[in-house]
Amino acid sequence: MSLLRSRSQFLGRMSRELASCASREEVFRCLGRGVMPELGDWCDLDVLQDGVLQRVAAFRAPHGELHGPRGSAPSLLARRVARSGRSEFLQGPDEQVAVLLSSSEEELPRIQAAEPLDCMAVPLRSRGALVGVLSFASREPRLHLDEDALALAEDLAGCVALALETDRLRQELERTRYHAQRQAADFQTLLDVIPVGIGIAYDQECRHILQNAWFARVHGLPLESNISLSAPDGERQPIRYLDEKGHALTPEELPMQRAAATGREVLDVELELEVNGQRRGTLVISAVPLFDEAHRSRGAIGTIQDVTARKRATEAQRFLAESSAALSSSLDQEQTSRTLVRLCVPALANVAAFCGWRPDGTLGMLTVTHADPALQHIADEVARTFAIPEGHPIHEAMTTGRPRLIPVLKEVDSWYAGGEAQRQGPCHSLGVHSVMLIPLTTPQGVVGVLLLGSPERVCTEDDFTFAKEYAAHATYAIDNARLYREAREAIALRDEFLGIAGHELRTPLTALQLGLQRLVRESATPGDPTRLSKWVVTCQRQGERLGRLVGDLLDVSRITSGRLPMVLEEMDLSALVEEVAARMGPELEKVRCPLVLKLRSPLPGRWDRSRLDQVLTNLLGNAMKYGQGRPIEVSAMATPEGVCVRVRDEGIGISPEDQARIFGRFERAVSERHYGGLGLGLWISRQIVTQLGGHIRVESTQGQGSSFTVELPRWVED
Ligand code: ADP
């Protein structure tokens, strides 16, 4: 075989094998296996790493395996070739060969011992730059290195440099790919966790917008949904973005589409997001365009912030501040409840009503406001006619004090069941489908229920929380108005009472004065002693009446400021009844009321004698006053629980409504023109009986008479 042919075969084989190496180590192994014996029986590979020449491989015959530690110092010959950039060749025998092949003086004896014959080294270049040195040596004369071997080594150097460069590029590519993957993973993690919505579109029309996890949550749509409003038919989601006037934006008006279409960024656009017809929140959206190498727009990236909570908090603060001012501007309860509902519209609802007890004792809408002035008259009509029955959610809220959110009214008909068929028409035309019921609770109990309803908006938990906060706020105003009204009523009552009390006191006082004048006159001229004693009795009776009135007035202040003092003693109730009856005998005679006593004697027990006397005197006095001259019966008997006294007359009687209130302070069921009295007797009697552990009740039929029953335990403890 010709030298040329074997040379080209060698190079062909080496370049093929080197080109198929998948790593640096494989390049080394291939080199070690391939160069011997054609290029001697020693081969070293040194490469430039960070500008420093370093030994990376050393092969020794017979098998060409790797030798020597990596990174050991290159030989003098390799260093010289690296410096000069030119191949060197020294044919032995020559002492210089060992010197050139050793890296230092210390190594020289070891190299000399190996008895190298020839040596040569060639530079490795890649794209013209030196990347390393390939050195060879022979120890056997049959492997003699000559000019031909040098030429072959130089050709081989090209293949080795190419293989090393390929490996370097491969490594660089892998590093780049690794970094790219890591960055992609980091980016994905960022997209997943960042509390900001991100939308990315890779086409100029933004027909496909990818969303991150946060944005998907805001939408309430699956992560993989295409959220673009310019998405192809069939892919489009039921999403709408509304501006501050409530108008839905077209796809082209949206920030990402605008940024991609114009190539300019669009910043801080505030929009309301609506998905499937439901408000999802207020978003602030910014978008920047993406460009290709030719600076043509190729899509957009959008960032989305949810400012719902912030906006709501600001609006809520403003609303509460404004409402506080408005609500506290009046102390009139009706005016305040009108303001209360007016403020709710349209901020909280389309229809707002204040429900409460009407004077006739039924529950109804006391005032109502509709967001649409054109529908106000229907709302008023509903308020006027809609009687809220027991069991209705409004009735429940009123009686339990529990607020209630009904996001969607399912049984609209039963909601309006309180109205008759013809009244349901207007109710339906209000079309309220989502309702919040907020009771206004004061320390005295529930004063009313705020009804907030909307036809199309679905009330959310947030709306509910805010409405409750507002109601709590408003309750102060309502309660203030109530307290003010009560204070005014109390003042009016006091004035009325003072008028009656004055009148009541004046009557016996005048009679007493007249009696005294007559006494003075009668005693000045000697006359009939029976006439004298008659006037004394009259004066005495008027004095007693005055004393009772003053006593009642004193009792009012005693009861109001604490308790009535009780002095308990063992006594006989029947004897006390007889005593009172005897004392009142003359008066009974005067009004011609026959008195029947039915007493079980004796009825011993432990009570306050003078207070029980007061109760009996009052009951018998009333029976006399309202008895219309008909018989009166007083009975006293023992009961399993204690004793029972009943005073029954056949007089004017008391209506059922009045029966409920006559035991109240200053309460009277008769006109002051016909009957005198302070409206205190029964109130004081009830306080006394209650304090003695018993109770007092009335049974009566108007026009037929009344029966007052006092039940007492027998042995009252201190
Ligand atoms: P008054 O001083 O007005 O009698 P009371 O507290 O004793 O005050 O009674 C309250 C009201 O109850 C009376 O004004 C009257 O309307 C009604 N009343 C009390 N007792 C009778 C009775 N025996 N028959 C009819 N009405 C009565």
Side-chain angles (χ1 to χ4, degrees):
M1 199 190 310
S2 75
L3 181 67
L4 198 63
R5 195 152 158 225
S6 68
R7 228 179 100 172
S8 64
Q9 269 180 349
F10 171 76
L11 283 174
R13 176 172 54 83
M14 285 305 287
S15 69
R16 264 196 315 278
E17 283 182 13
L18 284 169
S20 66
C21 290
S23 69
R24 221 166 135 91
E25 273 62 38
E26 271 189 46
V27 171
F28 295 160
R29 272 199 295 278
C30 170
L31 196 60
R33 271 198 318 269
V35 292
M36 290 169 201
E38 279 86 345
L39 290 168
D41 50 8
W42 274 25
C43 172
D44 290 342
L45 176 61
D46 302 289
V47 294
L48 269 180
Q49 280 172 352
D50 302 324
V52 181
L53 195 66
Q54 287 188 0
R55 171 77 43 92
V56 293
F59 311 100
R60 302 291 178 258
H63 303 299
E65 66 271 23
L66 283 170
H67 281 278
R70 298 263 189 95
S72 60
S75 66
L76 179 61
L77 176 66
R79 293 205 299 270
R80 272 175 34 180
V81 168
R83 250 195 322 273
S84 69
R86 281 197 306 274
S87 307
E88 285 204 28
F89 167 60
L90 183 59
Q91 221 166 17
D94 191 326
E95 276 186 13
Q96 267 309 103
V97 171
V99 173
L100 283 176
L101 287 174
S102 56
S103 59
S104 60
E105 275 184 32
E106 290 80 54
E107 199 193 26
L108 183 58
R110 199 160 52 79
I111 302 291
Q112 280 169 335
E115 296 177 356
L117 194 60
D118 315 312
C119 66
M120 63 179 182
V122 292
L124 297 175
R125 290 177 195 285
S126 171
R127 281 174 282 161
L130 184 98
V131 293
V133 176
L134 199 52
S135 312
F136 301 93
S138 67
R139 291 165 58 208
E140 291 183 37
R142 69 179 176 87
L143 299 177
H144 217 48
L145 298 174
D146 54 12
E147 296 286 343
D148 286 339
L150 184 63
L152 188 63
E154 281 176 339
D155 288 344
L156 177 67
C159 298
V160 173
L162 190 65
L164 288 177
E165 179 64 1
T166 305
D167 179 65
R168 190 186 64 76
L169 289 175
R170 189 187 305 118
Q171 278 185 24
E172 209 169 278
L173 189 69
E174 252 158 42
R175 263 199 308 277
T176 310
R177 192 179 297 143
Y178 170 76
H179 283 301
Q181 276 170 354
R182 220 166 62 173
Q183 274 175 352
D186 291 351
F187 183 59
Q188 190 56 50
T189 309
L190 183 71
L191 285 182
D192 289 346
V193 300
I194 194 168
V196 169
I198 307 275
I200 305 176
Y202 293 115
D203 64 290
Q204 210 193 353
E205 283 81 36
C206 297
R207 287 163 66 81
H208 196 99
I209 298 181
L210 302 166
Q211 59 177 344
N212 70 337
W214 189 91
F215 205 13
R217 263 201 306 280
V218 172
H219 280 121
L221 294 169
L223 184 63
E224 57 284 356
S225 323
N226 179 4
I227 53 158
S228 173
L229 263 61
S230 354
D233 291 345
E235 262 182 57
R236 209 166 309 135
Q237 300 293 332
I239 301 174
R240 293 202 315 158
Y241 287 96
L242 313 171
D243 63 15
E244 77 274 16
K245 291 194 187 110
H247 297 145
L249 269 65
T250 62
E252 300 73 42
E253 289 172 322
L254 290 167
M256 283 183 67
Q257 277 82 344
R258 263 164 60 201
T262 60
R264 275 191 230 107
E265 58 183 16
V266 178
L267 297 176
D268 300 332
V269 183
E270 191 176 300
L271 296 170
E272 283 286 325
L273 172 67
E274 199 186 85
V275 181
N276 269 323
Q278 285 194 24
R279 292 276 168 109
R280 306 284 305 189
T282 310
L283 306 180
V284 169
I285 306 178
S286 296
V288 289
L290 292 173
F291 296 109
D292 64 11
E293 300 71 29
H295 206 73
R296 280 188 307 257
S297 163
R298 62 176 175 90
I301 291 189
T303 60
I304 299 94
Q305 278 173 282
D306 186 352
V307 295
T308 316
R310 200 170 67 202
K311 205 172 166 215
R312 195 180 284 273
T314 320
E315 277 174 5
Q317 251 171 358
R318 205 181 47 219
F319 181 73
L320 289 180
E322 284 172 4
S323 62
S324 290
L327 285 167
S328 57
S329 65
S330 166
L331 279 172
D332 175 61
Q333 196 174 11
E334 252 181 54
Q335 174 65 38
T336 307
S337 46
R338 269 202 300 277
T339 310
L340 166 77
V341 295
R342 185 173 47 73
L343 286 170
C344 296
V345 171
L348 288 171
N350 287 52
V351 182
F354 182 71
C355 308
W357 300 112
R358 291 191 178 122
D360 65 2
T362 58
L363 186 62
M365 290 185 188
L366 305 184
T367 172
V368 62
T369 298
H370 199 290
D372 184 351
L375 293 175
Q376 181 62 42
H377 70 282
I378 300 180
D380 288 336
E381 170 68 6
V382 171
R384 209 174 51 75
T385 55
F386 186 35
I388 301 160
E390 248 180 68
H392 190 281
I394 302 176
H395 197 283
E396 254 171 46
M398 188 78 193
T399 45
T400 61
R402 269 198 299 276
R404 186 147 170 220
L405 166 68
I406 310 172
V408 180
L409 267 186
K410 294 216 177 70
E411 289 158 18
V412 183
D413 286 341
S414 78
W415 174 265
Y416 294 123
E420 293 152 14
Q422 72 270 26
R423 292 183 192 155
Q424 289 187 12
C427 291
H428 277 288
S429 43
L430 286 182
V432 170
H433 284 117
S434 190
V435 168
M436 295 186 278
L437 298 173
I438 323 283
L440 304 188
T441 310
T442 68
Q444 278 68 39
V446 182
V447 291
V449 172
L450 181 63
L451 179 152
L452 301 169
S454 297
E456 88 254 342
R457 189 161 105 182
V458 173
C459 304
T460 61
E461 279 293 341
D462 280 351
D463 293 329
F464 190 42
T465 308
F466 180 62
K468 283 189 283 188
E469 207 174 309
Y470 169 62
H473 225 68
T475 304
Y476 289 113
I478 295 271
D479 205 27
N480 276 351
R482 182 187 60 80
L483 290 172
Y484 179 69
R485 194 201 60 214
E486 280 178 10
R488 264 197 345 212
E489 283 171 2
I491 290 169
L493 195 68
R494 189 198 60 190
D495 291 346
E496 191 192 351
F497 172 73
L498 286 177
I500 296 173
H503 177 76
E504 284 294 307
L505 289 169
R506 210 175 41 226
T507 313
L509 201 64
T510 314
L512 186 64
Q513 275 171 340
L514 277 175
L516 286 172
Q517 279 167 13
R518 285 302 289 265
L519 264 181
V520 171
R521 249 185 285 150
E522 295 283 339
S523 57
T525 53
D528 186 359
T530 48
R531 284 181 48 169
L532 204 66
S533 71
K534 188 188 140 214
W535 284 111
V536 171
V537 171
T538 306
C539 289
Q540 225 173 6
R541 207 176 295 139
Q542 297 307 330
E544 278 167 14
R545 193 168 156 202
L546 258 179
R548 270 205 303 278
L549 283 169
V550 172
D552 278 358
L553 290 176
L554 284 175
D555 282 347
V556 173
S557 60
R558 281 200 199 103
I559 294 169
T560 319
S561 62
R563 280 166 64 93
L564 277 176
M566 292 278 157
V567 183
L568 302 176
E569 59 183 295
E570 279 190 32
M571 54 173 280
D572 177 8
L573 184 64
S574 295
L576 181 67
V577 174
E578 273 170 348
E579 195 182 313
V580 173
R583 194 175 61 229
M584 295 182 78
E587 283 176 73
L588 284 161
E589 235 169 72
K590 211 171 141 198
V591 293
R592 295 175 201 287
C593 275
L595 177 68
V596 181
L597 293 183
K598 287 188 178 171
L599 306 173
R600 172 71 52 84
S601 283
L603 282 175
R606 191 161 179 269
W607 302 289
D608 183 317
R609 173 187 289 274
S610 72
R611 288 297 176 191
L612 271 192
D613 186 321
Q614 199 176 345
V615 173
L616 293 169
T617 307
N618 175 48
L619 293 181
L620 198 52
N622 279 350
M624 218 162 66
K625 189 158 49 163
Y626 306 109
Q628 293 186 309
R630 301 214 181 95
I632 297 171
E633 184 189 282
V634 181
S635 55
M637 69 207 84
T639 62
E641 291 80 30
V643 293
C644 160
V645 186
R646 185 164 296 133
V647 180
R648 196 162 62 78
D649 65 64
E650 293 169 24
I652 59 170
I654 309 161
S655 71
E657 307 84 66
D658 290 337
Q659 286 174 33
R661 62 179 185 88
I662 51 172
F663 291 98
R665 190 167 53 158
F666 308 138
E667 293 290 356
R668 311 193 66 227
V670 285
S671 117
E672 64 187 271
R673 272 196 289 140
H674 294 109
Y675 297 96
L678 294 173
L680 286 173
L682 287 180
W683 180 67
I684 295 171
S685 297
R686 168 171 276 186
Q687 306 297 321
I688 294 170
V689 171
T690 310
Q691 226 170 295
L692 288 172
H695 45 263
I696 179 167
R697 63 189 150 79
V698 63
E699 283 140 306
S700 178
T701 309
Q702 238 177 333
Q704 291 183 22
S706 313
S707 170
F708 284 85
T709 308
V710 174
E711 283 165 324
L712 288 170
R714 257 183 209 253
W715 306 102
V716 179
E717 298 293 323
D718 281 312

